[in-house]
Amino acid sequence: MISAGQLKAARALLGIDQKELAELAGLSLPTIQRMEGSDGVIRGNVDSLMKLLDALDRAGVIVIRPGDALDGAAGRGVRLRSDAL
């Protein structure tokens, strides 16, 4: 899944605010605010989480899970696909 920190970092990479992310994901602004205010991994309605992850994917964000290794480093993170730049 995705953590609140990853969500904030993804928004920063995309250069969008919470309202824009809510629109991209088809979610309400309070839902995005609650997700970002979570402690650690975001919890919530499965449908809302799937909408969020789909919106980030369409925008070009790669969500890196804790066990994934990328460029020799492992741990949570986010990255933009090269075609998103």
Side-chain angles (χ1 to χ4, degrees):
M1 274 282 104
I2 186 171
S3 71
Q6 285 174 292
L7 180 53
K8 292 173 191 173
R11 273 197 317 100
L13 284 173
L14 295 171
I16 61 174
D17 62 19
Q18 290 177 331
K19 183 178 179 190
E20 290 172 289
L21 179 58
E23 291 169 1
L24 285 173
L27 299 170
S28 69
L29 177 57
T31 297
I32 297 297
Q33 291 169 332
R34 269 193 309 278
M35 288 177 167
E36 285 196 6
S38 297
D39 204 19
V41 175
I42 294 173
R43 297 177 207 212
N45 177 303
V46 173
D47 186 52
S48 295
L49 291 169
M50 295 309 296
K51 285 181 179 181
L52 173 69
L53 292 171
D54 182 57
L56 292 174
D57 182 61
R58 284 183 281 117
V61 173
I62 298 168
V63 176
I64 304 165
R65 297 175 303 199
D68 291 348
L70 189 61
D71 296 335
R76 286 189 185 279
V78 291
R79 188 174 188 170
L80 283 180
R81 286 193 313 262
S82 59
D83 62 349
L85 301 174

